[in-house]
Amino acid sequence: GEQIGLMEMLYVFLGSLLIWSTLGMYLNLFVPRRREIIHRYLEEGVQVLGDVYYDNPRKKCCFSRLTQCFFADYATVIYSHPDPSRLPVSNAGDQWIVQKRVRTYQLFHRERISIVVLPELPLSGQPKADIEIDVASYRKVYATSRDRIREIQYIVAFWIFFTLDGTLYLLFQMYQVNPAYEDFQLAWIISAAFVLVVVPLVAFGGNWIRWSSYKRWLTKSGRVLTDDETNRIVIPAQSTDSELAKRPGAANNSDYSAMV
């Protein structure tokens, strides 16, 4: 019957190595940095008052399951600019307002709540309650999530070493067993270039770009408006209790709220 060539198997192992290395770098680069900056909100943040408006995307799209997976945990936050002295002079009586998109764990409108802003980053506002829920999910007192991350890191490390060993084993087989049918020199060049260049570039570079874009979105995205412009913002309709009950993970979010 038809046989699978060693070169084809080598491509599979190299591709798997790239995937597992990227995931491993995500767990060791993106996740710790994200947790560090979330902790900064509680330790260094300045509190201002603001409103949070949850916008249910299922009302806008017929692909409700898809929107639940990617967009349902986001809301619009509006709060007073913490340092209006840096802004250009406006009309008398105008108050500068910040509007931005944030991730939320509480799927309903909230008004006159605490918004935490990082020093020197006026567009970094996040609802304090959501930050506390986020931190509570991986603090030592709620160590289930932290332990799960560590277990995943062990699994990912195992598969990285397994795919790397498999690549070396295939190269050895191509050299010892089947040199007449497989181009060992080409396979070695491809493997070396992939392991030494492609994997570090994609795994580290991709996750660094992901982290940089996330940090910019978290701390520097948003719009600065005047009171007059704020009055023209369309407030989305409040989600009903029945709609929230259908939301996957709604019960978990309620549990987190109770813990905090």
Side-chain angles (χ1 to χ4, degrees):
E2 185 177 353
Q3 297 181 348
I4 300 177
L6 294 178
M7 184 67 80
E8 285 75 14
M9 296 176 63
L10 181 66
Y11 292 152
V12 172
F13 271 85
L14 289 175
S16 300
L17 176 63
L18 176 62
I19 294 172
W20 288 111
S21 298
T22 302
L23 178 57
M25 188 59 66
Y26 172 83
L27 296 174
N28 288 280
L29 187 150
F30 182 88
V31 173
R33 281 170 170 76
R34 180 186 179 277
R35 291 182 175 183
E36 180 183 355
I37 197 171
I38 292 299
H39 275 287
R40 282 188 58 200
Y41 275 95
L42 296 182
E43 296 170 356
E44 306 173 11
V46 178
Q47 294 189 41
V48 298
L49 290 179
D51 304 327
V52 178
Y53 299 108
Y54 172 67
D55 189 6
N56 189 348
R58 289 182 293 165
K59 297 179 180 180
K60 301 179 181 180
C61 180
C62 58
F63 300 103
S64 60
R65 293 294 177 184
L66 182 64
T67 55
Q68 287 172 4
C69 294
F70 292 99
F71 303 107
D73 290 342
Y74 291 86
T76 298
V77 62
I78 300 172
Y79 60 92
S80 301
H81 196 289
D83 190 8
S85 61
R86 295 188 174 189
L87 299 172
V89 178
S90 59
N91 297 328
D94 274 352
Q95 181 181 7
W96 291 100
I97 303 296
V98 176
Q99 177 192 12
K100 67 175 296 175
R101 194 79 166 163
V102 298
R103 183 176 181 179
T104 182
Y105 294 94
Q106 299 179 326
L107 312 184
F108 47 86
H109 293 351
R110 291 167 284 166
E111 297 183 343
R112 306 289 292 175
I113 66 169
S114 293
I115 306 296
V116 186
V117 184
L118 292 176
E120 307 298 325
L121 293 169
L123 300 184
S124 63
Q126 300 288 322
K128 184 181 179 182
D130 291 320
I131 293 293
E132 291 174 338
I133 292 172
D134 199 336
V135 171
S137 67
Y138 58 81
R139 255 182 183 164
K140 192 172 184 180
V141 66
Y142 305 116
T144 303
S145 177
R146 175 179 294 183
D147 293 341
R148 187 179 300 118
I149 289 293
R150 188 178 294 110
E151 292 172 359
I152 294 175
Q153 288 175 329
Y154 292 151
I155 294 173
V156 170
F158 166 79
W159 282 107
I160 290 175
F161 285 111
F162 178 82
T163 52
L164 185 59
D165 289 343
T167 298
L168 296 175
Y169 177 77
L170 286 172
L171 289 173
F172 175 78
Q173 290 297 312
M174 293 173 70
Y175 177 75
Q176 293 288 336
V177 179
N178 209 5
Y181 298 97
E182 303 286 355
D183 191 339
F184 169 75
Q185 186 175 4
L186 176 61
W188 175 256
I189 294 174
I190 292 175
S191 300
F194 207 86
V195 172
L196 299 178
V197 179
V198 176
V199 170
L201 186 63
V202 174
F204 179 81
N207 276 291
W208 185 261
I209 293 174
R210 173 74 181 92
W211 161 247
S212 299
S213 63
Y214 174 81
K215 183 180 179 182
R216 180 175 180 81
W217 172 80
L218 188 71
T219 62
K220 297 182 179 180
S221 67
R223 296 190 302 159
V224 179
L225 311 172
T226 62
D227 260 346
D228 182 58
E229 293 172 312
T230 306
N231 293 331
R232 294 196 293 268
I233 296 177
V234 178
I235 305 301
Q238 177 73 285
S239 298
T240 63
D241 293 340
S242 59
E243 289 172 338
L244 293 177
K246 297 177 183 177
R247 171 74 175 92
N252 294 335
N253 288 333
S254 298
D255 293 341
Y256 276 132
S257 301
M259 288 191 297
V260 175

